[in-house]
Amino acid sequence: MDDSAPYWSAVRATRLRIADLLEDLSPAEWERESLCRGWRVRDVAGHLALVPTLTTWDMLAAAPRARFDPDRINTALARRHGRRAPADLVATIREHAGTRRTAKVLDTRNALFDAIIHSQDIALPLDRRIPVPAEHSREGLRRVWSMGWPFHAGRRLAGFTLRATDTEWEVGDGPEIAGPALALLLLSTGRTAGLHALRGEGADLLRVASRRG
């Protein structure tokens, strides 16, 4: 029995939901800013279309111009592939929705939370909805909190207790931040778009801090 099958089934389902939403967007919506700083919706789509077929050589080729910075490399590739026609991007995401590989220097354990987070990066600014099962967000949370870089969730949110209210997941110690696993996943990856869905003393403190800039 393939123990990874449920994981990759979740990845595939998320990618297909993204393709469904993208297929419904207007030309203007493709150009809108996403939640991912500096990325338009089409750049996020470019990233999602590229990841399953990305090679280490692709990353090395982009590295010099991106000053060998991983974030700059990621952005350069996303923007380059985001220039493709929307229909082409949607078709590519669909074609590779079930693909289980990526560049060797990356980690396929990131595939699920990457797809989930970027689904919300697209949907939320457009006032659209891509549903995510709580258990999928829980798996994303487990991975993000175990990996450190690039989100450093444990360091950024030290001193708080995070507790999912729609699935079994809890971490930390201190004032509570409670709410849906998806909102906690957004928070853990540095996004404040889900703060309105979180409750507790810790969430109140974060909202005050967010308003102060």
Side-chain angles (χ1 to χ4, degrees), residues 129-166:
R129 185 171 180 269
I130 295 182
V132 179
E135 61 269 24
H136 294 178
S137 294
R138 179 186 63 207
E139 292 307 308
L141 281 165
R142 288 172 175 169
R143 175 58 183 158
V144 167
W145 276 79
S146 72
M147 65 191 294
W149 184 89
F151 305 112
H152 300 289
R155 185 177 69 193
R156 287 189 303 102
L157 296 168
F160 294 103
T161 295
L162 278 70
R163 180 177 63 84
T165 55
D166 54 356

PDB file of all heavy atoms in Angstrom, residues 129-166:
ATOM      1  N   ARG A 129     -13.613  32.078  -3.405  1.00  0.00           N
ATOM      2  CA  ARG A 129     -13.456  31.060  -2.374  1.00  0.00           C
ATOM      3  C   ARG A 129     -12.936  29.764  -2.980  1.00  0.00           C
ATOM      4  O   ARG A 129     -13.496  29.273  -3.960  1.00  0.00           O
ATOM      5  CB  ARG A 129     -14.784  30.809  -1.644  1.00  0.00           C
ATOM      6  CG  ARG A 129     -14.674  29.850  -0.480  1.00  0.00           C
ATOM      7  CD  ARG A 129     -15.966  29.825   0.325  1.00  0.00           C
ATOM      8  NE  ARG A 129     -15.868  28.909   1.451  1.00  0.00           N
ATOM      9  CZ  ARG A 129     -16.219  27.626   1.411  1.00  0.00           C
ATOM     10  NH1 ARG A 129     -16.703  27.120   0.294  1.00  0.00           N
ATOM     11  NH2 ARG A 129     -16.093  26.863   2.481  1.00  0.00           N
ATOM     12  N   ILE A 130     -11.868  29.245  -2.405  1.00  0.00           N
ATOM     13  CA  ILE A 130     -11.396  27.895  -2.706  1.00  0.00           C
ATOM     14  C   ILE A 130     -11.441  27.123  -1.393  1.00  0.00           C
ATOM     15  O   ILE A 130     -10.636  27.379  -0.484  1.00  0.00           O
ATOM     16  CB  ILE A 130      -9.974  27.887  -3.288  1.00  0.00           C
ATOM     17  CG1 ILE A 130      -9.941  28.595  -4.644  1.00  0.00           C
ATOM     18  CG2 ILE A 130      -9.454  26.453  -3.424  1.00  0.00           C
ATOM     19  CD1 ILE A 130      -8.580  28.601  -5.309  1.00  0.00           C
ATOM     20  N   PRO A 131     -12.377  26.208  -1.230  1.00  0.00           N
ATOM     21  CA  PRO A 131     -12.482  25.473   0.037  1.00  0.00           C
ATOM     22  C   PRO A 131     -11.291  24.543   0.237  1.00  0.00           C
ATOM     23  O   PRO A 131     -10.774  23.961  -0.722  1.00  0.00           O
ATOM     24  CB  PRO A 131     -13.785  24.688  -0.122  1.00  0.00           C
ATOM     25  CG  PRO A 131     -13.982  24.549  -1.598  1.00  0.00           C
ATOM     26  CD  PRO A 131     -13.400  25.789  -2.213  1.00  0.00           C
ATOM     27  N   VAL A 132     -10.869  24.422   1.488  1.00  0.00           N
ATOM     28  CA  VAL A 132      -9.756  23.543   1.847  1.00  0.00           C
ATOM     29  C   VAL A 132     -10.195  22.694   3.031  1.00  0.00           C
ATOM     30  O   VAL A 132     -10.526  23.241   4.089  1.00  0.00           O
ATOM     31  CB  VAL A 132      -8.497  24.343   2.233  1.00  0.00           C
ATOM     32  CG1 VAL A 132      -7.363  23.391   2.620  1.00  0.00           C
ATOM     33  CG2 VAL A 132      -8.065  25.261   1.087  1.00  0.00           C
ATOM     34  N   PRO A 133     -10.228  21.372   2.911  1.00  0.00           N
ATOM     35  CA  PRO A 133     -10.577  20.529   4.051  1.00  0.00           C
ATOM     36  C   PRO A 133      -9.652  20.791   5.236  1.00  0.00           C
ATOM     37  O   PRO A 133      -8.443  20.990   5.053  1.00  0.00           O
ATOM     38  CB  PRO A 133     -10.405  19.106   3.510  1.00  0.00           C
ATOM     39  CG  PRO A 133     -10.603  19.237   2.026  1.00  0.00           C
ATOM     40  CD  PRO A 133     -10.004  20.576   1.683  1.00  0.00           C
ATOM     41  N   ALA A 134     -10.217  20.787   6.437  1.00  0.00           N
ATOM     42  CA  ALA A 134      -9.429  21.104   7.630  1.00  0.00           C
ATOM     43  C   ALA A 134      -8.243  20.163   7.797  1.00  0.00           C
ATOM     44  O   ALA A 134      -7.162  20.583   8.219  1.00  0.00           O
ATOM     45  CB  ALA A 134     -10.331  21.058   8.866  1.00  0.00           C
ATOM     46  N   GLU A 135      -8.430  18.888   7.443  1.00  0.00           N
ATOM     47  CA  GLU A 135      -7.323  17.946   7.623  1.00  0.00           C
ATOM     48  C   GLU A 135      -6.163  18.234   6.680  1.00  0.00           C
ATOM     49  O   GLU A 135      -5.010  17.946   6.998  1.00  0.00           O
ATOM     50  CB  GLU A 135      -7.805  16.506   7.453  1.00  0.00           C
ATOM     51  CG  GLU A 135      -8.379  16.150   6.100  1.00  0.00           C
ATOM     52  CD  GLU A 135      -9.887  16.369   6.001  1.00  0.00           C
ATOM     53  OE1 GLU A 135     -10.420  17.189   6.782  1.00  0.00           O
ATOM     54  OE2 GLU A 135     -10.515  15.720   5.143  1.00  0.00           O
ATOM     55  N   HIS A 136      -6.457  18.837   5.530  1.00  0.00           N
ATOM     56  CA  HIS A 136      -5.381  19.217   4.613  1.00  0.00           C
ATOM     57  C   HIS A 136      -4.603  20.405   5.185  1.00  0.00           C
ATOM     58  O   HIS A 136      -3.364  20.428   5.134  1.00  0.00           O
ATOM     59  CB  HIS A 136      -5.950  19.578   3.243  1.00  0.00           C
ATOM     60  CG  HIS A 136      -6.584  18.415   2.533  1.00  0.00           C
ATOM     61  ND1 HIS A 136      -7.182  18.547   1.301  1.00  0.00           N
ATOM     62  CD2 HIS A 136      -6.722  17.116   2.894  1.00  0.00           C
ATOM     63  CE1 HIS A 136      -7.661  17.370   0.931  1.00  0.00           C
ATOM     64  NE2 HIS A 136      -7.396  16.493   1.872  1.00  0.00           N
ATOM     65  N   SER A 137      -5.328  21.380   5.722  1.00  0.00           N
ATOM     66  CA  SER A 137      -4.653  22.518   6.361  1.00  0.00           C
ATOM     67  C   SER A 137      -3.840  22.058   7.565  1.00  0.00           C
ATOM     68  O   SER A 137      -2.758  22.579   7.831  1.00  0.00           O
ATOM     69  CB  SER A 137      -5.680  23.563   6.799  1.00  0.00           C
ATOM     70  OG  SER A 137      -6.314  24.143   5.683  1.00  0.00           O
ATOM     71  N   ARG A 138      -4.344  21.070   8.292  1.00  0.00           N
ATOM     72  CA  ARG A 138      -3.600  20.536   9.439  1.00  0.00           C
ATOM     73  C   ARG A 138      -2.265  19.950   8.996  1.00  0.00           C
ATOM     74  O   ARG A 138      -1.231  20.184   9.634  1.00  0.00           O
ATOM     75  CB  ARG A 138      -4.431  19.463  10.142  1.00  0.00           C
ATOM     76  CG  ARG A 138      -3.732  18.819  11.362  1.00  0.00           C
ATOM     77  CD  ARG A 138      -4.558  17.683  11.904  1.00  0.00           C
ATOM     78  NE  ARG A 138      -4.700  16.617  10.917  1.00  0.00           N
ATOM     79  CZ  ARG A 138      -5.722  15.772  10.868  1.00  0.00           C
ATOM     80  NH1 ARG A 138      -6.712  15.878  11.743  1.00  0.00           N
ATOM     81  NH2 ARG A 138      -5.763  14.833   9.940  1.00  0.00           N
ATOM     82  N   GLU A 139      -2.278  19.202   7.892  1.00  0.00           N
ATOM     83  CA  GLU A 139      -1.019  18.642   7.391  1.00  0.00           C
ATOM     84  C   GLU A 139      -0.068  19.759   6.970  1.00  0.00           C
ATOM     85  O   GLU A 139       1.141  19.665   7.172  1.00  0.00           O
ATOM     86  CB  GLU A 139      -1.295  17.698   6.218  1.00  0.00           C
ATOM     87  CG  GLU A 139      -2.018  16.422   6.606  1.00  0.00           C
ATOM     88  CD  GLU A 139      -1.315  15.682   7.741  1.00  0.00           C
ATOM     89  OE1 GLU A 139      -0.111  15.431   7.631  1.00  0.00           O
ATOM     90  OE2 GLU A 139      -1.986  15.389   8.750  1.00  0.00           O
ATOM     91  N   GLY A 140      -0.630  20.812   6.387  1.00  0.00           N
ATOM     92  CA  GLY A 140       0.201  21.958   6.031  1.00  0.00           C
ATOM     93  C   GLY A 140       0.814  22.615   7.251  1.00  0.00           C
ATOM     94  O   GLY A 140       1.992  22.985   7.247  1.00  0.00           O
ATOM     95  N   LEU A 141       0.037  22.756   8.307  1.00  0.00           N
ATOM     96  CA  LEU A 141       0.546  23.342   9.556  1.00  0.00           C
ATOM     97  C   LEU A 141       1.676  22.502  10.136  1.00  0.00           C
ATOM     98  O   LEU A 141       2.704  23.036  10.581  1.00  0.00           O
ATOM     99  CB  LEU A 141      -0.588  23.459  10.569  1.00  0.00           C
ATOM    100  CG  LEU A 141      -1.544  24.630  10.386  1.00  0.00           C
ATOM    101  CD1 LEU A 141      -2.819  24.419  11.205  1.00  0.00           C
ATOM    102  CD2 LEU A 141      -0.873  25.940  10.787  1.00  0.00           C
ATOM    103  N   ARG A 142       1.497  21.202  10.142  1.00  0.00           N
ATOM    104  CA  ARG A 142       2.537  20.326  10.688  1.00  0.00           C
ATOM    105  C   ARG A 142       3.849  20.511   9.933  1.00  0.00           C
ATOM    106  O   ARG A 142       4.917  20.559  10.540  1.00  0.00           O
ATOM    107  CB  ARG A 142       2.080  18.871  10.618  1.00  0.00           C
ATOM    108  CG  ARG A 142       0.990  18.518  11.626  1.00  0.00           C
ATOM    109  CD  ARG A 142       0.451  17.126  11.375  1.00  0.00           C
ATOM    110  NE  ARG A 142      -0.513  16.731  12.411  1.00  0.00           N
ATOM    111  CZ  ARG A 142      -1.300  15.665  12.329  1.00  0.00           C
ATOM    112  NH1 ARG A 142      -1.251  14.886  11.252  1.00  0.00           N
ATOM    113  NH2 ARG A 142      -2.131  15.376  13.322  1.00  0.00           N
ATOM    114  N   ARG A 143       3.760  20.621   8.638  1.00  0.00           N
ATOM    115  CA  ARG A 143       4.972  20.777   7.836  1.00  0.00           C
ATOM    116  C   ARG A 143       5.614  22.145   8.061  1.00  0.00           C
ATOM    117  O   ARG A 143       6.822  22.251   8.280  1.00  0.00           O
ATOM    118  CB  ARG A 143       4.643  20.585   6.353  1.00  0.00           C
ATOM    119  CG  ARG A 143       5.819  20.841   5.416  1.00  0.00           C
ATOM    120  CD  ARG A 143       6.986  19.951   5.733  1.00  0.00           C
ATOM    121  NE  ARG A 143       8.126  20.265   4.864  1.00  0.00           N
ATOM    122  CZ  ARG A 143       9.390  19.971   5.155  1.00  0.00           C
ATOM    123  NH1 ARG A 143       9.702  19.337   6.279  1.00  0.00           N
ATOM    124  NH2 ARG A 143      10.357  20.293   4.323  1.00  0.00           N
ATOM    125  N   VAL A 144       4.820  23.212   8.025  1.00  0.00           N
ATOM    126  CA  VAL A 144       5.355  24.563   8.193  1.00  0.00           C
ATOM    127  C   VAL A 144       6.042  24.715   9.547  1.00  0.00           C
ATOM    128  O   VAL A 144       7.116  25.316   9.653  1.00  0.00           O
ATOM    129  CB  VAL A 144       4.243  25.609   8.014  1.00  0.00           C
ATOM    130  CG1 VAL A 144       4.698  26.986   8.485  1.00  0.00           C
ATOM    131  CG2 VAL A 144       3.817  25.682   6.547  1.00  0.00           C
ATOM    132  N   TRP A 145       5.433  24.163  10.589  1.00  0.00           N
ATOM    133  CA  TRP A 145       6.007  24.308  11.930  1.00  0.00           C
ATOM    134  C   TRP A 145       7.223  23.423  12.149  1.00  0.00           C
ATOM    135  O   TRP A 145       7.998  23.636  13.084  1.00  0.00           O
ATOM    136  CB  TRP A 145       4.936  24.047  12.985  1.00  0.00           C
ATOM    137  CG  TRP A 145       4.136  25.281  13.240  1.00  0.00           C
ATOM    138  CD1 TRP A 145       3.128  25.772  12.483  1.00  0.00           C
ATOM    139  CD2 TRP A 145       4.323  26.215  14.297  1.00  0.00           C
ATOM    140  NE1 TRP A 145       2.657  26.955  12.990  1.00  0.00           N
ATOM    141  CE2 TRP A 145       3.365  27.244  14.110  1.00  0.00           C
ATOM    142  CE3 TRP A 145       5.185  26.277  15.385  1.00  0.00           C
ATOM    143  CZ2 TRP A 145       3.267  28.337  14.966  1.00  0.00           C
ATOM    144  CZ3 TRP A 145       5.081  27.351  16.249  1.00  0.00           C
ATOM    145  CH2 TRP A 145       4.143  28.362  16.048  1.00  0.00           C
ATOM    146  N   SER A 146       7.443  22.457  11.279  1.00  0.00           N
ATOM    147  CA  SER A 146       8.611  21.580  11.430  1.00  0.00           C
ATOM    148  C   SER A 146       9.821  22.065  10.642  1.00  0.00           C
ATOM    149  O   SER A 146      10.937  21.603  10.880  1.00  0.00           O
ATOM    150  CB  SER A 146       8.262  20.160  10.977  1.00  0.00           C
ATOM    151  OG  SER A 146       8.123  20.089   9.562  1.00  0.00           O
ATOM    152  N   MET A 147       9.633  23.009   9.723  1.00  0.00           N
ATOM    153  CA  MET A 147      10.682  23.289   8.746  1.00  0.00           C
ATOM    154  C   MET A 147      11.521  24.531   9.023  1.00  0.00           C
ATOM    155  O   MET A 147      12.577  24.688   8.443  1.00  0.00           O
ATOM    156  CB  MET A 147      10.081  23.384   7.340  1.00  0.00           C
ATOM    157  CG  MET A 147       9.118  24.552   7.148  1.00  0.00           C
ATOM    158  SD  MET A 147       8.188  24.463   5.585  1.00  0.00           S
ATOM    159  CE  MET A 147       9.482  24.657   4.372  1.00  0.00           C
ATOM    160  N   GLY A 148      11.093  25.432   9.879  1.00  0.00           N
ATOM    161  CA  GLY A 148      11.900  26.647  10.087  1.00  0.00           C
ATOM    162  C   GLY A 148      11.845  27.541   8.875  1.00  0.00           C
ATOM    163  O   GLY A 148      10.792  28.087   8.543  1.00  0.00           O
ATOM    164  N   TRP A 149      12.987  27.742   8.193  1.00  0.00           N
ATOM    165  CA  TRP A 149      13.053  28.583   6.994  1.00  0.00           C
ATOM    166  C   TRP A 149      12.091  28.051   5.939  1.00  0.00           C
ATOM    167  O   TRP A 149      11.956  26.851   5.778  1.00  0.00           O
ATOM    168  CB  TRP A 149      14.493  28.573   6.448  1.00  0.00           C
ATOM    169  CG  TRP A 149      14.682  29.476   5.273  1.00  0.00           C
ATOM    170  CD1 TRP A 149      15.029  30.778   5.293  1.00  0.00           C
ATOM    171  CD2 TRP A 149      14.528  29.124   3.886  1.00  0.00           C
ATOM    172  NE1 TRP A 149      15.089  31.274   4.008  1.00  0.00           N
ATOM    173  CE2 TRP A 149      14.790  30.282   3.128  1.00  0.00           C
ATOM    174  CE3 TRP A 149      14.182  27.952   3.204  1.00  0.00           C
ATOM    175  CZ2 TRP A 149      14.719  30.297   1.741  1.00  0.00           C
ATOM    176  CZ3 TRP A 149      14.101  27.964   1.825  1.00  0.00           C
ATOM    177  CH2 TRP A 149      14.374  29.127   1.109  1.00  0.00           C
ATOM    178  N   PRO A 150      11.397  28.923   5.200  1.00  0.00           N
ATOM    179  CA  PRO A 150      11.543  30.378   5.161  1.00  0.00           C
ATOM    180  C   PRO A 150      10.562  31.139   6.067  1.00  0.00           C
ATOM    181  O   PRO A 150      10.630  32.357   6.143  1.00  0.00           O
ATOM    182  CB  PRO A 150      11.244  30.703   3.699  1.00  0.00           C
ATOM    183  CG  PRO A 150      10.193  29.693   3.326  1.00  0.00           C
ATOM    184  CD  PRO A 150      10.561  28.424   4.071  1.00  0.00           C
ATOM    185  N   PHE A 151       9.648  30.430   6.729  1.00  0.00           N
ATOM    186  CA  PHE A 151       8.591  31.133   7.469  1.00  0.00           C
ATOM    187  C   PHE A 151       8.946  31.384   8.934  1.00  0.00           C
ATOM    188  O   PHE A 151       8.445  32.329   9.532  1.00  0.00           O
ATOM    189  CB  PHE A 151       7.286  30.339   7.380  1.00  0.00           C
ATOM    190  CG  PHE A 151       6.850  30.054   5.978  1.00  0.00           C
ATOM    191  CD1 PHE A 151       6.856  28.753   5.483  1.00  0.00           C
ATOM    192  CD2 PHE A 151       6.463  31.072   5.130  1.00  0.00           C
ATOM    193  CE1 PHE A 151       6.473  28.483   4.185  1.00  0.00           C
ATOM    194  CE2 PHE A 151       6.073  30.818   3.825  1.00  0.00           C
ATOM    195  CZ  PHE A 151       6.083  29.511   3.347  1.00  0.00           C
ATOM    196  N   HIS A 152       9.781  30.503   9.498  1.00  0.00           N
ATOM    197  CA  HIS A 152      10.180  30.641  10.908  1.00  0.00           C
ATOM    198  C   HIS A 152       8.968  30.871  11.799  1.00  0.00           C
ATOM    199  O   HIS A 152       8.956  31.758  12.651  1.00  0.00           O
ATOM    200  CB  HIS A 152      11.187  31.787  11.063  1.00  0.00           C
ATOM    201  CG  HIS A 152      12.435  31.591  10.262  1.00  0.00           C
ATOM    202  ND1 HIS A 152      13.381  30.637  10.578  1.00  0.00           N
ATOM    203  CD2 HIS A 152      12.879  32.222   9.138  1.00  0.00           C
ATOM    204  CE1 HIS A 152      14.369  30.689   9.683  1.00  0.00           C
ATOM    205  NE2 HIS A 152      14.083  31.637   8.804  1.00  0.00           N
ATOM    206  N   ALA A 153       7.933  30.036  11.600  1.00  0.00           N
ATOM    207  CA  ALA A 153       6.676  30.206  12.338  1.00  0.00           C
ATOM    208  C   ALA A 153       6.896  30.106  13.845  1.00  0.00           C
ATOM    209  O   ALA A 153       6.337  30.896  14.612  1.00  0.00           O
ATOM    210  CB  ALA A 153       5.658  29.165  11.880  1.00  0.00           C
ATOM    211  N   GLY A 154       7.691  29.129  14.271  1.00  0.00           N
ATOM    212  CA  GLY A 154       7.923  28.960  15.694  1.00  0.00           C
ATOM    213  C   GLY A 154       8.588  30.157  16.336  1.00  0.00           C
ATOM    214  O   GLY A 154       8.290  30.504  17.489  1.00  0.00           O
ATOM    215  N   ARG A 155       9.472  30.813  15.607  1.00  0.00           N
ATOM    216  CA  ARG A 155      10.156  31.996  16.144  1.00  0.00           C
ATOM    217  C   ARG A 155       9.245  33.213  16.104  1.00  0.00           C
ATOM    218  O   ARG A 155       9.167  33.963  17.074  1.00  0.00           O
ATOM    219  CB  ARG A 155      11.426  32.266  15.323  1.00  0.00           C
ATOM    220  CG  ARG A 155      12.270  33.408  15.869  1.00  0.00           C
ATOM    221  CD  ARG A 155      13.542  33.564  15.049  1.00  0.00           C
ATOM    222  NE  ARG A 155      13.263  34.060  13.704  1.00  0.00           N
ATOM    223  CZ  ARG A 155      14.146  34.046  12.704  1.00  0.00           C
ATOM    224  NH1 ARG A 155      15.339  33.516  12.890  1.00  0.00           N
ATOM    225  NH2 ARG A 155      13.825  34.526  11.519  1.00  0.00           N
ATOM    226  N   ARG A 156       8.534  33.409  14.993  1.00  0.00           N
ATOM    227  CA  ARG A 156       7.675  34.590  14.873  1.00  0.00           C
ATOM    228  C   ARG A 156       6.510  34.562  15.852  1.00  0.00           C
ATOM    229  O   ARG A 156       6.071  35.610  16.327  1.00  0.00           O
ATOM    230  CB  ARG A 156       7.136  34.701  13.441  1.00  0.00           C
ATOM    231  CG  ARG A 156       8.142  35.131  12.400  1.00  0.00           C
ATOM    232  CD  ARG A 156       7.466  35.433  11.073  1.00  0.00           C
ATOM    233  NE  ARG A 156       6.713  34.306  10.557  1.00  0.00           N
ATOM    234  CZ  ARG A 156       5.406  34.167  10.618  1.00  0.00           C
ATOM    235  NH1 ARG A 156       4.660  35.105  11.197  1.00  0.00           N
ATOM    236  NH2 ARG A 156       4.792  33.099  10.109  1.00  0.00           N
ATOM    237  N   LEU A 157       6.011  33.368  16.119  1.00  0.00           N
ATOM    238  CA  LEU A 157       4.822  33.242  16.957  1.00  0.00           C
ATOM    239  C   LEU A 157       5.144  32.645  18.322  1.00  0.00           C
ATOM    240  O   LEU A 157       4.258  32.115  19.002  1.00  0.00           O
ATOM    241  CB  LEU A 157       3.769  32.398  16.228  1.00  0.00           C
ATOM    242  CG  LEU A 157       3.250  33.044  14.928  1.00  0.00           C
ATOM    243  CD1 LEU A 157       2.448  32.047  14.106  1.00  0.00           C
ATOM    244  CD2 LEU A 157       2.403  34.276  15.233  1.00  0.00           C
ATOM    245  N   ALA A 158       6.402  32.757  18.711  1.00  0.00           N
ATOM    246  CA  ALA A 158       6.796  32.294  20.046  1.00  0.00           C
ATOM    247  C   ALA A 158       6.022  33.081  21.100  1.00  0.00           C
ATOM    248  O   ALA A 158       5.796  34.280  20.961  1.00  0.00           O
ATOM    249  CB  ALA A 158       8.300  32.486  20.247  1.00  0.00           C
ATOM    250  N   GLY A 159       5.605  32.392  22.157  1.00  0.00           N
ATOM    251  CA  GLY A 159       4.866  33.056  23.220  1.00  0.00           C
ATOM    252  C   GLY A 159       3.362  33.000  23.052  1.00  0.00           C
ATOM    253  O   GLY A 159       2.627  33.569  23.859  1.00  0.00           O
ATOM    254  N   PHE A 160       2.889  32.325  21.978  1.00  0.00           N
ATOM    255  CA  PHE A 160       1.458  32.154  21.752  1.00  0.00           C
ATOM    256  C   PHE A 160       1.115  30.664  21.695  1.00  0.00           C
ATOM    257  O   PHE A 160       1.963  29.841  21.332  1.00  0.00           O
ATOM    258  CB  PHE A 160       1.013  32.786  20.436  1.00  0.00           C
ATOM    259  CG  PHE A 160       1.133  34.280  20.386  1.00  0.00           C
ATOM    260  CD1 PHE A 160       2.184  34.890  19.701  1.00  0.00           C
ATOM    261  CD2 PHE A 160       0.199  35.085  21.015  1.00  0.00           C
ATOM    262  CE1 PHE A 160       2.302  36.266  19.643  1.00  0.00           C
ATOM    263  CE2 PHE A 160       0.304  36.473  20.967  1.00  0.00           C
ATOM    264  CZ  PHE A 160       1.363  37.059  20.284  1.00  0.00           C
ATOM    265  N   THR A 161      -0.115  30.343  22.024  1.00  0.00           N
ATOM    266  CA  THR A 161      -0.668  29.014  21.765  1.00  0.00           C
ATOM    267  C   THR A 161      -1.569  29.110  20.549  1.00  0.00           C
ATOM    268  O   THR A 161      -2.481  29.951  20.510  1.00  0.00           O
ATOM    269  CB  THR A 161      -1.504  28.507  22.954  1.00  0.00           C
ATOM    270  OG1 THR A 161      -0.645  28.322  24.084  1.00  0.00           O
ATOM    271  CG2 THR A 161      -2.170  27.182  22.632  1.00  0.00           C
ATOM    272  N   LEU A 162      -1.308  28.290  19.546  1.00  0.00           N
ATOM    273  CA  LEU A 162      -2.161  28.232  18.365  1.00  0.00           C
ATOM    274  C   LEU A 162      -2.984  26.952  18.449  1.00  0.00           C
ATOM    275  O   LEU A 162      -2.430  25.857  18.646  1.00  0.00           O
ATOM    276  CB  LEU A 162      -1.331  28.235  17.086  1.00  0.00           C
ATOM    277  CG  LEU A 162      -0.849  29.600  16.574  1.00  0.00           C
ATOM    278  CD1 LEU A 162       0.226  30.179  17.490  1.00  0.00           C
ATOM    279  CD2 LEU A 162      -0.315  29.490  15.160  1.00  0.00           C
ATOM    280  N   ARG A 163      -4.299  27.078  18.290  1.00  0.00           N
ATOM    281  CA  ARG A 163      -5.177  25.909  18.411  1.00  0.00           C
ATOM    282  C   ARG A 163      -6.225  25.927  17.299  1.00  0.00           C
ATOM    283  O   ARG A 163      -6.957  26.912  17.138  1.00  0.00           O
ATOM    284  CB  ARG A 163      -5.880  25.893  19.773  1.00  0.00           C
ATOM    285  CG  ARG A 163      -6.813  24.712  19.981  1.00  0.00           C
ATOM    286  CD  ARG A 163      -7.420  24.724  21.375  1.00  0.00           C
ATOM    287  NE  ARG A 163      -8.245  25.904  21.597  1.00  0.00           N
ATOM    288  CZ  ARG A 163      -9.532  25.998  21.230  1.00  0.00           C
ATOM    289  NH1 ARG A 163     -10.119  24.984  20.597  1.00  0.00           N
ATOM    290  NH2 ARG A 163     -10.216  27.105  21.495  1.00  0.00           N
ATOM    291  N   ALA A 164      -6.259  24.853  16.541  1.00  0.00           N
ATOM    292  CA  ALA A 164      -7.276  24.727  15.497  1.00  0.00           C
ATOM    293  C   ALA A 164      -8.600  24.316  16.128  1.00  0.00           C
ATOM    294  O   ALA A 164      -8.644  23.466  17.020  1.00  0.00           O
ATOM    295  CB  ALA A 164      -6.839  23.696  14.468  1.00  0.00           C
ATOM    296  N   THR A 165      -9.677  24.914  15.655  1.00  0.00           N
ATOM    297  CA  THR A 165     -11.000  24.613  16.197  1.00  0.00           C
ATOM    298  C   THR A 165     -11.796  23.655  15.314  1.00  0.00           C
ATOM    299  O   THR A 165     -12.882  23.221  15.707  1.00  0.00           O
ATOM    300  CB  THR A 165     -11.807  25.916  16.377  1.00  0.00           C
ATOM    301  OG1 THR A 165     -11.847  26.623  15.121  1.00  0.00           O
ATOM    302  CG2 THR A 165     -11.177  26.803  17.438  1.00  0.00           C
ATOM    303  N   ASP A 166     -11.262  23.328  14.135  1.00  0.00           N
ATOM    304  CA  ASP A 166     -11.978  22.442  13.225  1.00  0.00           C
ATOM    305  C   ASP A 166     -11.257  21.128  12.981  1.00  0.00           C
ATOM    306  O   ASP A 166     -11.692  20.306  12.176  1.00  0.00           O
ATOM    307  CB  ASP A 166     -12.267  23.144  11.896  1.00  0.00           C
ATOM    308  CG  ASP A 166     -11.007  23.717  11.255  1.00  0.00           C
ATOM    309  OD1 ASP A 166      -9.919  23.640  11.866  1.00  0.00           O
ATOM    310  OD2 ASP A 166     -11.111  24.259  10.132  1.00  0.00           O
TER     311      ASP A 166
END
